[in-house]
Amino acid sequence: AQSVTQPDIHITVSEGASLELRCNYSYGATPYLFWYVQSPGQGLQLLLKYFSGDTLVQGIKGFEAEFKRSQSSFNLRKPSVHWSDAAEYFCALNQGGKLIFGQGTELSVKP
Amino acid sequence: GAVVSQHPSWVICKSGTSVKIECRSLDFQATTMFWYRQFPKQSLMLMATSNEGSKATYEQGVEKDKFLINHASLTLSTLTVTSAHPEDSSFYICSARAEGTDTQYFGPGTRLTVL
């Protein structure tokens, strides 16, 4: 069955440090993958998406993600985290027009 | 672009009453809209998919008579929680997708509290 796994429930990084949030997927064909961010009490904002082509995808707010088919991964990265990046991050897979979400990773940023 | 709004942003109601939540795509035509439910510290759970002019398709375990969905236009979908009970208290989020695309854009969510 298709699924999305975010192994890290909670991550804390220092402001200015680099960030990598992990996402693994299970899907038979070429996946359409997304990263969304959710601030407390808010909806989801699309950070970036991968459909095909270049496996390194650039998104908003300085985020990027790399699709690695051999590892079934789509990890999100940012070279320097800002305090405003503290939020919940969701990786999602498109299956037949519906989104399958990972469990989410809560990011805390310490000064 | 691709802005989705929801109204109200929060609502408190008494048990047994019905509550309607609106989801609007402000700058694009949404042929498909989705309704999700999110519990605290959890991921989103898809409740139903609605296509403009058609009946909604509900996910397994979601009561269609309790959660009425209407998608009467290309920019508006509504979710009505009928005879609400405290266990219906949750954060409800909608998303919208334009025809021929694969990207869903999400609304800001509606916090429902049933007393």
Side-chain angles (χ1 to χ4, degrees):
Chain A
Q2 292 82 358
S3 65
V4 177
T5 301
Q6 294 179 245
D8 305 304
I9 295 174
H10 189 196
I11 284 183
T12 300
V13 299
S14 298
E15 190 168 16
S18 64
L19 170 70
E20 182 169 30
L21 301 182
R22 296 185 290 165
C23 172
N24 294 100
Y25 67 89
S26 173
Y27 192 65
T30 298
Y32 288 2
L33 294 161
F34 305 81
W35 274 100
Y36 288 91
V37 60
Q38 183 181 34
S39 296
Q42 300 295 315
L44 276 66
Q45 181 181 23
L46 178 67
L47 286 176
L48 47 79
K49 58 187 177 184
Y50 171 79
F51 288 175
S52 65
D54 194 346
T55 56
L56 185 62
V57 180
Q58 300 298 319
I60 63 172
K61 302 184 178 186
F63 286 94
E64 67 177 25
E66 186 170 11
F67 172 66
K68 292 186 178 180
R69 184 187 299 276
S70 61
Q71 298 179 19
S72 297
S73 69
F74 187 56
N75 294 348
L76 182 72
R77 300 193 295 246
K78 186 170 185 177
S80 177
V81 170
H82 188 264
W83 63 266
S84 60
D85 293 324
E88 187 86 18
Y89 291 79
F90 291 98
C91 180
L93 166 72
N94 181 46
Q95 178 191 295
K98 298 179 184 180
L99 288 178
I100 300 174
F101 284 93
Q103 302 91 320
T105 298
E106 182 180 0
L107 173 66
S108 296
V109 180
K110 58 183 180 181
Chain B
V3 179
V4 177
S5 70
Q6 275 183 249
H7 178 81
S9 56
W10 60 270
V11 57
I12 301 173
C13 69
K14 293 182 178 180
S15 186
T17 60
S18 295
V19 174
K20 180 183 286 188
I21 302 170
E22 292 186 349
C23 177
R24 294 182 185 272
S25 56
L26 299 185
D27 51 2
F28 67 101
Q29 293 188 325
T31 50
T32 306
M33 287 185 169
F34 303 84
W35 287 95
Y36 296 84
R37 185 172 179 177
Q38 185 179 32
F39 292 101
K41 299 292 186 181
Q42 294 190 24
S43 189
L44 281 72
M45 181 191 78
L46 179 64
M47 299 173 66
T49 302
S50 73
N51 291 294
E52 187 264 337
S54 303
K55 287 185 177 180
T57 302
Y58 291 81
E59 295 299 302
Q60 191 173 8
V62 177
E63 299 175 61
K64 63 180 181 181
D65 294 330
K66 180 165 190 62
F67 298 100
L68 301 179
I69 292 172
N70 182 275
H71 191 167
S73 78
L74 287 172
T75 59
L76 173 64
S77 175
T78 60
L79 167 68
T80 301
V81 183
T82 62
S83 186
H85 287 93
E87 57 265 30
D88 299 323
S89 299
S90 191
F91 193 54
Y92 292 88
I93 307 176
C94 73
S95 70
R97 187 182 70 201
E99 184 175 14
T101 70
D102 290 289
T103 302
Q104 292 182 30
Y105 294 94
F106 286 80
T110 297
R111 173 76 57 193
L112 170 63
T113 301
V114 184
L115 302 177

